[in-house]
Coordinates of all heavy atoms in Angstrom, one line a residue:
S1 N 101.7 110.7 95.0 CA 103.1 111.1 94.8 C 103.6 111.8 96.0 O 102.8 112.2 96.9 CB 103.2 112.0 93.6 OG 102.7 113.3 93.8
K2 N 104.9 111.9 96.1 CA 105.4 112.5 97.3 C 105.0 114.0 97.4 O 104.7 114.5 98.4 CB 107.0 112.4 97.3 CG 107.5 111.1 97.7 CD 109.0 110.9 97.5 CE 109.8 111.8 98.4 NZ 111.2 111.6 98.3
T3 N 105.0 114.7 96.2 CA 104.6 116.1 96.2 C 103.2 116.3 96.6 O 102.9 117.2 97.4 CB 104.8 116.6 94.7 OG1 106.2 116.4 94.4 CG2 104.5 118.1 94.7
T4 N 102.3 115.5 96.1 CA 100.9 115.6 96.4 C 100.7 115.3 97.9 O 99.9 116.0 98.6 CB 100.0 114.6 95.6 OG1 100.2 114.9 94.2 CG2 98.5 114.7 95.9
G5 N 101.4 114.3 98.4 CA 101.3 114.0 99.8 C 101.7 115.1 100.7 O 101.1 115.5 101.7
Q6 N 102.8 115.7 100.3 CA 103.3 116.9 101.1 C 102.3 118.0 101.0 O 102.1 118.7 102.0 CB 104.7 117.4 100.5 CG 105.8 116.5 100.9 CD 107.1 116.9 100.3 OE1 107.2 117.3 99.1 NE2 108.2 116.8 101.0
F7 N 101.7 118.3 99.9 CA 100.7 119.3 99.7 C 99.6 119.1 100.7 O 99.2 120.0 101.4 CB 100.2 119.4 98.3 CG 99.1 120.3 98.1 CD1 99.2 121.7 98.1 CD2 97.8 119.8 98.0 CE1 98.1 122.5 98.0 CE2 96.7 120.6 97.9 CZ 96.8 122.0 97.9
H8 N 99.0 117.9 100.7 CA 97.9 117.6 101.5 C 98.2 117.6 103.0 O 97.4 118.0 103.8 CB 97.2 116.3 101.1 CG 96.4 116.4 99.8 ND1 95.3 117.1 99.7 CD2 96.7 115.9 98.6 CE1 94.9 117.0 98.5 NE2 95.7 116.3 97.8
S9 N 99.4 117.2 103.3 CA 99.9 117.2 104.7 C 99.9 118.7 105.2 O 99.4 119.0 106.3 CB 101.2 116.6 104.8 OG 101.7 116.7 106.2
L10 N 100.5 119.5 104.4 CA 100.7 121.0 104.8 C 99.3 121.6 104.8 O 99.0 122.4 105.7 CB 101.6 121.7 103.8 CG 101.8 123.2 104.0 CD1 102.4 123.4 105.3 CD2 102.6 123.8 102.9
K11 N 98.5 121.4 103.8 CA 97.1 122.0 103.8 C 96.3 121.5 105.0 O 95.6 122.4 105.6 CB 96.4 121.6 102.5 CG 95.0 122.2 102.3 CD 94.4 121.8 101.0 CE 92.9 122.2 101.1 NZ 92.1 121.3 100.2
G12 N 96.4 120.3 105.3 CA 95.7 119.8 106.5 C 96.1 120.5 107.7 O 95.3 120.8 108.6
T13 N 97.4 120.7 107.9 CA 98.0 121.4 109.0 C 97.4 122.8 109.1 O 97.1 123.3 110.2 CB 99.5 121.4 109.0 OG1 100.0 120.0 109.0 CG2 100.1 122.1 110.2
V14 N 97.4 123.5 108.0 CA 96.9 124.9 108.0 C 95.4 124.9 108.3 O 95.0 125.7 109.2 CB 97.1 125.5 106.6 CG1 96.3 126.8 106.4 CG2 98.6 125.7 106.3
V15 N 94.6 124.0 107.8 CA 93.2 123.9 108.1 C 93.0 123.6 109.6 O 92.1 124.2 110.2 CB 92.4 122.9 107.2 CG1 91.0 122.7 107.6 CG2 92.5 123.4 105.7
E16 N 93.7 122.7 110.1 CA 93.6 122.3 111.5 C 94.0 123.5 112.4 O 93.3 123.8 113.4 CB 94.6 121.1 111.8 CG 94.4 120.7 113.2 CD 95.3 119.5 113.5 OE1 96.1 119.0 112.7 OE2 95.3 119.0 114.7
T17 N 95.0 124.3 112.0 CA 95.4 125.4 112.8 C 94.3 126.5 112.8 O 94.0 127.1 113.8 CB 96.7 126.0 112.2 OG1 97.7 125.0 112.3 CG2 97.1 127.3 113.0
I18 N 93.7 126.7 111.6 CA 92.5 127.6 111.5 C 91.4 127.2 112.4 O 90.8 128.0 113.1 CB 92.0 127.8 110.1 CG1 93.1 128.5 109.2 CG2 90.7 128.5 110.0 CD1 92.9 128.5 107.7
G19 N 91.1 125.9 112.4 CA 90.1 125.3 113.3 C 90.5 125.6 114.8 O 89.6 125.9 115.6
D20 N 91.7 125.4 115.1 CA 92.2 125.7 116.5 C 92.0 127.1 116.9 O 91.5 127.4 118.0 CB 93.7 125.4 116.7 CG 93.9 123.9 116.9 OD1 93.0 123.1 117.3 OD2 95.1 123.5 116.6
L21 N 92.4 128.0 116.0 CA 92.3 129.5 116.3 C 90.8 130.0 116.4 O 90.5 130.9 117.1 CB 93.0 130.3 115.2 CG 94.6 130.0 115.2 CD1 95.2 130.7 114.0 CD2 95.2 130.5 116.5
T22 N 90.0 129.4 115.5 CA 88.6 129.9 115.5 C 87.6 129.1 116.4 O 86.5 129.4 116.5 CB 88.0 129.9 114.0 OG1 88.1 128.5 113.6 CG2 88.9 130.7 113.1
G23 N 88.1 127.9 116.8 CA 87.3 127.0 117.6 C 86.3 126.2 116.8 O 85.4 125.6 117.3
A24 N 86.6 126.2 115.5 CA 85.7 125.4 114.6 C 86.2 123.9 114.6 O 87.2 123.6 113.9 CB 85.7 126.0 113.2
Q25 N 85.4 123.1 115.3 CA 85.8 121.7 115.4 C 85.8 121.0 114.1 O 86.7 120.1 113.8 CB 84.9 121.0 116.4 CG 85.2 121.3 117.8 CD 86.6 120.9 118.3 OE1 87.6 121.6 118.0 NE2 86.7 119.8 118.9
S26 N 84.9 121.3 113.2 CA 84.8 120.6 111.9 C 86.1 120.9 111.1 O 86.6 120.0 110.4 CB 83.6 121.0 111.1 OG 83.6 122.4 110.8
W27 N 86.6 122.1 111.1 CA 87.8 122.5 110.4 C 89.0 121.8 111.0 O 89.9 121.3 110.3 CB 88.1 124.0 110.5 CG 87.3 124.7 109.4 CD1 85.9 124.7 109.3 CD2 87.8 125.6 108.4 NE1 85.5 125.6 108.3 CE2 86.7 126.1 107.7 CE3 89.1 126.0 108.1 CZ2 86.8 127.0 106.7 CZ3 89.2 126.9 107.1 CH2 88.1 127.4 106.3
K28 N 89.0 121.7 112.4 CA 90.1 121.1 113.1 C 90.2 119.6 112.7 O 91.2 119.1 112.4 CB 89.9 121.3 114.6 CG 91.0 120.8 115.4 CD 90.8 121.1 116.9 CE 91.9 120.6 117.8 NZ 91.7 120.9 119.2
Q29 N 89.0 119.0 112.7 CA 89.0 117.5 112.4 C 89.3 117.2 110.9 O 90.1 116.3 110.6 CB 87.6 117.0 112.7 CG 87.4 115.5 112.5 CD 88.3 114.6 113.3 OE1 88.6 115.0 114.5 NE2 88.8 113.5 112.8
S30 N 88.7 118.0 110.0 CA 89.0 117.8 108.6 C 90.5 118.1 108.3 O 91.1 117.4 107.5 CB 88.1 118.6 107.7 OG 88.4 120.0 107.8
G31 N 91.0 119.1 108.9 CA 92.5 119.4 108.7 C 93.3 118.2 109.2 O 94.3 117.8 108.6
R32 N 93.0 117.7 110.4 CA 93.8 116.6 110.9 C 93.7 115.4 110.0 O 94.7 114.7 109.7 CB 93.2 116.2 112.3 CG 94.1 115.2 113.0 CD 93.6 114.9 114.4 NE 93.6 116.1 115.3 CZ 92.6 116.5 115.9 NH1 91.4 115.9 115.9 NH2 92.7 117.6 116.7
E33 N 92.5 115.1 109.5 CA 92.3 113.9 108.6 C 93.1 114.1 107.3 O 93.7 113.2 106.8 CB 90.8 113.7 108.3 CG 90.0 113.2 109.5 CD 88.5 113.2 109.2 OE1 88.1 113.6 108.1 OE2 87.8 112.9 110.2
E34 N 93.1 115.3 106.7 CA 93.8 115.6 105.5 C 95.3 115.5 105.7 O 96.0 115.0 104.9 CB 93.4 117.0 104.9 CG 94.1 117.2 103.5 CD 93.5 118.3 102.7 OE1 92.6 119.0 103.2 OE2 94.0 118.5 101.6
H35 N 95.7 116.0 106.8 CA 97.2 115.9 107.2 C 97.6 114.4 107.2 O 98.6 114.0 106.6 CB 97.5 116.5 108.5 CG 98.8 116.3 109.0 ND1 99.9 117.0 108.5 CD2 99.3 115.5 110.0 CE1 101.0 116.6 109.1 NE2 100.7 115.6 110.0
V36 N 96.8 113.6 107.9 CA 97.2 112.1 108.0 C 97.2 111.5 106.6 O 98.0 110.7 106.3 CB 96.2 111.4 109.0 CG1 96.4 109.9 108.9 CG2 96.5 111.9 110.4
Q37 N 96.2 111.8 105.8 CA 96.1 111.2 104.5 C 97.3 111.7 103.6 O 97.9 110.9 102.9 CB 94.8 111.6 103.8 CG 93.6 111.0 104.4 CD 92.3 111.6 103.8 OE1 92.3 112.6 103.2 NE2 91.1 110.9 104.1
G38 N 97.7 112.9 103.8 CA 98.9 113.4 103.1 C 100.1 112.7 103.5 O 101.0 112.3 102.6
E39 N 100.3 112.5 104.8 CA 101.5 111.8 105.3 C 101.5 110.3 104.8 O 102.5 109.8 104.4 CB 101.5 111.8 106.8 CG 101.8 113.2 107.4 CD 103.2 113.6 107.1 OE1 104.2 112.9 107.3 OE2 103.4 114.8 106.7
T40 N 100.3 109.7 104.8 CA 100.2 108.3 104.3 C 100.6 108.2 102.8 O 101.4 107.4 102.4 CB 98.8 107.8 104.5 OG1 98.5 107.9 105.9 CG2 98.7 106.4 104.0
E41 N 100.1 109.2 102.0 CA 100.4 109.2 100.6 C 101.9 109.4 100.4 O 102.5 108.7 99.5 CB 99.6 110.3 99.9 CG 99.8 110.3 98.4 CD 99.0 111.3 97.6 OE1 98.1 111.9 98.3 OE2 99.2 111.5 96.4
Y42 N 102.5 110.3 101.1 CA 103.9 110.6 101.0 C 104.7 109.4 101.3 O 105.6 109.0 100.6 CB 104.3 111.8 101.9 CG 105.8 112.1 101.9 CD1 106.3 113.0 100.9 CD2 106.6 111.5 102.8 CE1 107.6 113.3 100.9 CE2 108.0 111.8 102.7 CZ 108.5 112.7 101.8 OH 109.8 112.9 101.8
N43 N 104.4 108.8 102.4 CA 105.2 107.6 102.9 C 105.0 106.4 101.9 O 106.0 105.7 101.6 CB 104.7 107.1 104.3 CG 105.2 108.1 105.3 OD1 106.2 108.9 105.1 ND2 104.5 108.2 106.4
A44 N 103.9 106.2 101.3 CA 103.7 105.2 100.3 C 104.5 105.4 99.1 O 105.1 104.5 98.5 CB 102.2 105.0 100.0
A45 N 104.5 106.7 98.6 CA 105.3 107.0 97.4 C 106.8 106.9 97.7 O 107.5 106.4 96.8 CB 105.0 108.5 97.0
Q46 N 107.2 107.3 98.9 CA 108.6 107.1 99.3 C 109.0 105.7 99.3 O 110.1 105.3 98.7 CB 108.8 107.8 100.6 CG 110.2 107.8 101.1 CD 110.4 108.4 102.4 OE1 109.5 108.4 103.3 NE2 111.6 109.0 102.7
A47 N 108.2 104.8 99.8 CA 108.5 103.4 99.9 C 108.6 102.8 98.4 O 109.5 102.0 98.1 CB 107.5 102.6 100.7
K48 N 107.6 103.2 97.6 CA 107.6 102.7 96.2 C 108.9 103.1 95.5 O 109.5 102.3 94.8 CB 106.4 103.3 95.5 CG 106.2 102.9 94.1 CD 105.0 103.5 93.5 CE 104.8 103.2 92.0 NZ 105.6 104.1 91.1
N49 N 109.3 104.4 95.6 CA 110.5 104.8 95.0 C 111.7 104.1 95.5 O 112.6 103.9 94.7 CB 110.6 106.4 95.1 CG 109.5 107.1 94.3 OD1 109.0 106.6 93.4 ND2 109.3 108.4 94.7
Y50 N 111.7 103.9 96.8 CA 112.9 103.2 97.4 C 113.0 101.8 96.8 O 114.1 101.3 96.4 CB 112.7 103.1 98.9 CG 114.0 102.5 99.6 CD1 115.0 103.4 99.9 CD2 114.1 101.2 99.9 CE1 116.1 102.9 100.6 CE2 115.2 100.7 100.5 CZ 116.2 101.5 100.8 OH 117.3 101.0 101.4
V51 N 111.9 101.1 96.7 CA 111.9 99.7 96.1 C 112.3 99.7 94.6 O 113.1 98.9 94.2 CB 110.5 99.0 96.3 CG1 110.4 97.7 95.5 CG2 110.3 98.8 97.8
E52 N 111.8 100.7 93.9 CA 112.2 100.8 92.5 C 113.7 101.1 92.3 O 114.3 100.5 91.4 CB 111.4 102.0 91.8 CG 110.0 101.6 91.6 CD 109.2 102.8 91.0 OE1 109.7 103.9 90.9 OE2 108.0 102.6 90.7
G53 N 114.2 101.9 93.2 CA 115.7 102.1 93.3 C 116.5 100.8 93.5 O 117.5 100.6 92.9
A54 N 116.0 100.0 94.4 CA 116.6 98.7 94.7 C 116.6 97.8 93.5 O 117.6 97.2 93.2 CB 116.0 98.1 95.9
A55 N 115.5 97.8 92.8 CA 115.4 96.9 91.6 C 116.4 97.4 90.6 O 117.0 96.6 89.9 CB 113.9 97.0 91.1
D56 N 116.5 98.7 90.4 CA 117.4 99.3 89.4 C 118.9 98.9 89.8 O 119.7 98.6 88.9 CB 117.3 100.8 89.3 CG 116.2 101.2 88.3 OD1 115.7 100.3 87.5 OD2 115.8 102.3 88.3
R57 N 119.2 99.0 91.1 CA 120.5 98.6 91.5 C 120.9 97.2 91.2 O 121.9 96.9 90.7 CB 120.7 98.9 93.0 CG 120.8 100.3 93.4 CD 121.0 100.5 94.9 NE 122.3 100.0 95.3 CZ 122.7 100.0 96.6 NH1 121.9 100.4 97.5 NH2 123.9 99.6 96.9
I58 N 119.9 96.3 91.5 CA 120.2 94.9 91.3 C 120.3 94.6 89.8 O 121.2 93.9 89.3 CB 119.0 94.0 91.9 CG1 119.1 94.1 93.4 CG2 119.1 92.6 91.4 CD1 117.8 93.6 94.1
A59 N 119.4 95.1 89.0 CA 119.4 94.9 87.5 C 120.7 95.5 86.9 O 121.3 94.9 86.0 CB 118.2 95.4 86.9
G60 N 121.0 96.6 87.4 CA 122.2 97.3 86.9 C 123.5 96.5 87.2 O 124.4 96.4 86.4
K61 N 123.6 96.0 88.4 CA 124.7 95.2 88.9 C 124.8 94.0 88.0 O 125.9 93.6 87.6 CB 124.6 94.9 90.3 CG 125.8 94.1 90.9 CD 127.1 94.8 90.7 CE 127.4 95.8 91.8 NZ 128.7 96.4 91.7
K62 N 123.7 93.3 87.8 CA 123.7 92.1 86.9 C 124.2 92.4 85.5 O 125.1 91.7 85.0 CB 122.3 91.5 86.8 CG 122.1 90.3 85.9 CD 120.7 90.0 85.4 CE 120.1 91.1 84.6 NZ 120.3 91.1 83.2
D63 N 123.7 93.5 84.9 CA 124.1 93.9 83.6 C 125.6 94.2 83.6 O 126.3 93.9 82.6 CB 123.3 95.1 83.1 CG 121.9 94.7 82.7 OD1 121.6 93.5 82.5 OD2 121.1 95.6 82.5
A64 N 126.1 94.9 84.6 CA 127.5 95.3 84.6 C 128.4 94.0 84.7 O 129.4 93.9 84.1 CB 127.8 96.2 85.8
V65 N 128.0 93.1 85.5 CA 128.8 91.8 85.7 C 128.7 91.0 84.4 O 129.8 90.5 83.9 CB 128.2 91.0 86.9 CG1 128.8 89.6 86.9 CG2 128.5 91.7 88.2
V66 N 127.6 90.9 83.8 CA 127.4 90.1 82.6 C 128.3 90.8 81.5 O 129.0 90.1 80.7 CB 126.0 89.9 82.1 CG1 125.9 89.4 80.7 CG2 125.2 89.0 83.1
G67 N 128.2 92.1 81.4 CA 129.0 92.8 80.4 C 130.5 92.6 80.6 O 131.3 92.5 79.7
A68 N 130.9 92.6 81.9 CA 132.3 92.5 82.2 C 132.8 91.1 81.8 O 133.9 90.9 81.3 CB 132.6 92.7 83.7
I69 N 132.0 90.1 82.1 CA 132.3 88.7 81.8 C 132.4 88.4 80.3 O 133.3 87.8 79.8 CB 131.3 87.7 82.5 CG1 131.5 87.8 84.0 CG2 131.5 86.3 82.0 CD1 130.5 87.0 84.8
T70 N 131.4 89.0 79.6 CA 131.3 88.7 78.2 C 132.2 89.7 77.3 O 132.3 89.5 76.1 CB 129.9 88.8 77.7 OG1 129.4 90.1 77.9 CG2 129.0 87.8 78.3
G71 N 132.8 90.7 78.0 CA 133.6 91.7 77.3 C 132.8 92.8 76.6 O 133.3 93.5 75.8
D72 N 131.5 92.8 76.9 CA 130.6 93.9 76.3 C 130.7 95.1 77.2 O 130.0 95.3 78.1 CB 129.2 93.3 76.2 CG 128.2 94.2 75.5 OD1 128.5 95.4 75.3 OD2 127.1 93.7 75.1
R73 N 131.6 96.0 76.8 CA 131.8 97.2 77.6 C 130.6 98.1 77.6 O 130.3 98.8 78.6 CB 133.0 98.1 77.0 CG 134.3 97.3 77.1 CD 134.9 97.3 78.5 NE 135.2 98.7 78.9 CZ 135.2 99.1 80.2 NH1 134.9 98.2 81.1 NH2 135.4 100.3 80.5
Q74 N 129.8 98.1 76.5 CA 128.6 99.0 76.5 C 127.6 98.5 77.5 O 127.0 99.3 78.3 CB 128.0 99.0 75.1 CG 126.8 99.9 75.0 CD 126.3 100.0 73.6 OE1 126.8 99.4 72.6 NE2 125.3 100.9 73.3
Q75 N 127.4 97.2 77.6 CA 126.4 96.6 78.6 C 127.0 96.8 80.0 O 126.2 97.2 80.9 CB 126.2 95.1 78.4 CG 125.2 94.5 79.3 CD 125.0 93.0 79.1 OE1 125.7 92.4 78.4 NE2 124.0 92.4 79.8
E76 N 128.3 96.7 80.2 CA 128.9 96.9 81.5 C 128.7 98.4 81.9 O 128.3 98.6 83.1 CB 130.4 96.6 81.4 CG 131.1 96.7 82.8 CD 132.5 96.4 82.7 OE1 133.0 96.1 81.6 OE2 133.2 96.5 83.7
M77 N 128.9 99.3 81.0 CA 128.8 100.7 81.4 C 127.3 101.1 81.6 O 127.0 101.8 82.6 CB 129.4 101.6 80.3 CG 130.9 101.6 80.3 SD 131.7 102.8 79.2 CE 130.9 102.5 77.7
A78 N 126.4 100.6 80.8 CA 125.0 100.8 81.0 C 124.5 100.2 82.3 O 123.7 100.9 83.0 CB 124.2 100.2 79.8
G79 N 125.0 99.1 82.7 CA 124.7 98.5 84.0 C 125.1 99.3 85.1 O 124.4 99.5 86.1
N80 N 126.4 99.8 85.0 CA 126.9 100.7 86.1 C 126.0 102.0 86.2 O 125.8 102.4 87.4 CB 128.3 101.0 85.8 CG 129.3 99.9 86.1 OD1 129.0 99.1 87.0 ND2 130.4 99.8 85.4
V81 N 125.6 102.5 85.1 CA 124.8 103.7 85.2 C 123.5 103.4 85.8 O 123.0 104.2 86.7 CB 124.6 104.3 83.7 CG1 123.5 105.4 83.7 CG2 125.9 104.9 83.2
R82 N 122.8 102.3 85.5 CA 121.6 101.9 86.1 C 121.7 101.7 87.6 O 120.9 102.1 88.4 CB 121.0 100.7 85.3 CG 119.6 100.4 85.8 CD 118.9 99.3 85.0 NE 117.6 99.0 85.4 CZ 116.8 98.0 85.0 NH1 117.3 97.3 84.0 NH2 115.6 97.8 85.5
H83 N 122.8 101.0 87.9 CA 123.1 100.7 89.3 C 123.2 102.0 90.1 O 122.6 102.2 91.2 CB 124.3 99.9 89.5 CG 124.8 99.7 90.9 ND1 125.6 100.7 91.5 CD2 124.5 98.8 91.8 CE1 125.8 100.3 92.8 NE2 125.2 99.1 93.0
D84 N 124.0 103.0 89.6 CA 124.2 104.3 90.3 C 122.9 105.1 90.3 O 122.6 105.7 91.3 CB 125.2 105.1 89.6 CG 126.6 104.4 89.7 OD1 126.8 103.5 90.5 OD2 127.5 104.9 89.0
K85 N 122.0 105.0 89.3 CA 120.7 105.7 89.3 C 119.9 105.1 90.4 O 119.2 105.8 91.2 CB 120.1 105.5 87.9 CG 118.7 106.1 87.9 CD 118.0 105.8 86.5 CE 116.5 106.1 86.5 NZ 115.7 104.9 86.8
G86 N 119.8 103.8 90.5 CA 119.0 103.1 91.5 C 119.5 103.5 92.9 O 118.7 103.7 93.9
Q87 N 120.8 103.6 93.1 CA 121.4 103.9 94.4 C 121.0 105.4 94.8 O 120.6 105.6 95.9 CB 122.9 103.8 94.3 CG 123.6 104.0 95.7 CD 125.1 103.6 95.6 OE1 125.6 103.4 94.6 NE2 125.7 103.6 96.8
A88 N 121.1 106.3 93.8 CA 120.7 107.7 94.1 C 119.2 107.7 94.4 O 118.8 108.5 95.3 CB 121.0 108.5 92.8
Q89 N 118.4 107.0 93.7 CA 116.9 107.0 94.0 C 116.7 106.4 95.4 O 115.8 107.0 96.1 CB 116.2 106.1 93.0 CG 114.7 106.2 93.1 CD 113.9 105.6 92.0 OE1 114.5 105.1 91.0 NE2 112.6 105.5 92.0
Q90 N 117.4 105.4 95.8 CA 117.3 104.9 97.2 C 117.7 106.0 98.2 O 117.0 106.1 99.3 CB 118.1 103.6 97.4 CG 117.4 102.4 96.8 CD 118.1 101.2 97.2 OE1 119.3 101.0 96.9 NE2 117.4 100.3 97.9
E91 N 118.8 106.7 98.0 CA 119.2 107.7 98.9 C 118.2 108.8 99.1 O 118.0 109.3 100.2 CB 120.6 108.3 98.4 CG 121.8 107.4 98.5 CD 122.1 107.0 100.0 OE1 122.0 107.9 100.9 OE2 122.4 105.9 100.3
L92 N 117.6 109.2 98.0 CA 116.5 110.2 98.1 C 115.3 109.8 98.8 O 114.5 110.6 99.2 CB 116.2 110.7 96.6 CG 117.2 111.5 95.9 CD1 116.8 111.7 94.5 CD2 117.4 112.9 96.6
N93 N 115.1 108.5 98.9 CA 113.8 107.9 99.4 C 114.0 107.1 100.6 O 113.2 106.2 100.9 CB 113.1 107.2 98.3 CG 112.6 108.1 97.2 OD1 111.6 108.8 97.4 ND2 113.2 108.1 96.1
K94 N 115.1 107.3 101.3 CA 115.4 106.5 102.6 C 114.2 106.7 103.5 O 113.8 107.9 103.7 CB 116.7 107.0 103.2 CG 117.9 106.3 102.7 CD 119.1 106.8 103.6 CE 120.3 106.1 103.0 NZ 121.5 106.6 103.8
P95 N 113.8 105.6 104.1 CA 112.7 105.8 105.2 C 113.2 106.6 106.3 O 114.4 106.5 106.7 CB 112.4 104.3 105.6 CG 113.0 103.5 104.6 CD 114.1 104.3 103.9
T96 N 112.4 107.5 106.8 CA 112.7 108.3 108.0 C 112.0 107.7 109.2 O 110.9 107.3 109.2 CB 112.3 109.7 107.8 OG1 110.9 109.8 107.4 CG2 113.1 110.4 106.7
A97 N 112.8 107.6 110.3 CA 112.2 107.0 111.5 C 111.4 108.0 112.3 O 111.3 109.1 112.2 CB 113.3 106.5 112.4

């Protein structure tokens, strides 16, 4: 998850810093490795959430259009809500360069 990835990234940075300050190479190396693993986990979770948001936007748009065409206001409104939820999820998980 993004939260777990952030935790491991931060913890790795702290351990690496302790290794730098004390000259303990094993701490420095393990901290660097944990930081990289945390960043990888965070980026994977971010990408997954972005794709899920895109899927919700597409499905929501389809439901909204079908509802509008068939006169089913409930389906149309539910589709709009799902579309907006997906759009918000994508905004929160935009890839950072």
